[in-house]
Amino acid sequence: DTGVSQNPRHKITKRGQNVTFRCDPISEHNRLYWYRQTLGQGPEFLTYFQNEAQLEKSRLLSDRFSAERPKGSFSTLEIQRTEQGDSAMYLCASSLIANYGYTFGSGTRLTVV
Amino acid sequence: DAKTTQPTSMDCAEGRAANLPCNHSTISGNEYVYWYRQIHSQGPQYIIHGLKNNETNEMASLIITEDRKSSTLILPHATLRDTAVYYCIVRGQETSGSRLTFGEGTQLTVNP
């Protein structure tokens, strides 16, 4: 098991374009989380899944953002009509049991130009 | 989840112990204290967590005061690779959708 994998590592897109990121969690982990981190700030919670069910969404997750986790395995985070304010590091994490530590991926850095 | 307060930055000499404090005066009885760190350009890394007893693992020790209003993360022999932002987080068992709420953390710089 190589941990949580995120692709791509970097993405540069023009304002108004749609982008999609992928996260492959640790295989036996049933919880998957998305966070966003801007420069100098700690990660901010966006949403989380237990298996294929999306159980919570932050107010940060505007209607331009959508996340899926089909079949409870990998997850995708799509941003439609990107804005410059969407530029950030998007982090994925997974966990097996709520009270144990999350394992984070290395993130996808999005730059909207 | 209870709010935490950490110093913005700290320095430590290589080979010495690094003691990182965290205040969480509004912590409730069922909330755990978690520590994560984030090395530049990487995702956060879980270090340790505890409820009321002191905890130790291969990375660090966590000392929680008896009243649980503060804690200290101890890196016993800091190395240059321990330079990172360290986050202290308080979280209940199943509250807030199991999310971790990160603050701004403490930038620890280990100097040669």
Side-chain angles (χ1 to χ4, degrees), chain A residues 2 7-8 12 22 32 35 44-45 48 52 55 57 59 61 64 91 110 113:
Chain A
T2 56
N7 288 288
I12 300 174
R22 178 179 170 123
L32 186 148
Y35 282 77
E44 298 172 294
F45 172 81
Y48 96 98
E52 65 276 8
L55 296 186
K57 294 194 293 185
R59 287 173 294 178
L61 212 67
R64 296 185 298 106
L91 293 160
L110 173 66
V113 297

Side-chain angles (χ1 to χ4, degrees), chain A residues 35 37 48 56 98-99 102, chain B residues 34 36 38 91 97-99:
Chain A
Y35 282 77
Q37 185 173 27
Y48 96 98
E56 186 173 357
N99 266 354
Y102 298 4
Chain B
Y34 283 76
Y36 281 75
Q38 188 172 24
R91 182 173 72 94
S98 196
R99 69 172 70 178

Side-chain angles (χ1 to χ4, degrees), chain A residues 33-37 44-48 54 56-62 65 77 89-91, chain B residues 99:
Chain A
Y33 314 84
W34 285 99
Y35 282 77
R36 180 175 72 184
Q37 185 173 27
E44 298 172 294
F45 172 81
L46 291 178
T47 188
Y48 96 98
Q54 188 173 18
E56 186 173 357
K57 294 194 293 185
S58 161
R59 287 173 294 178
L60 292 174
L61 212 67
S62 76
F65 287 70
L77 178 67
M89 174 76 83
Y90 290 84
L91 293 160
Chain B
R99 69 172 70 178

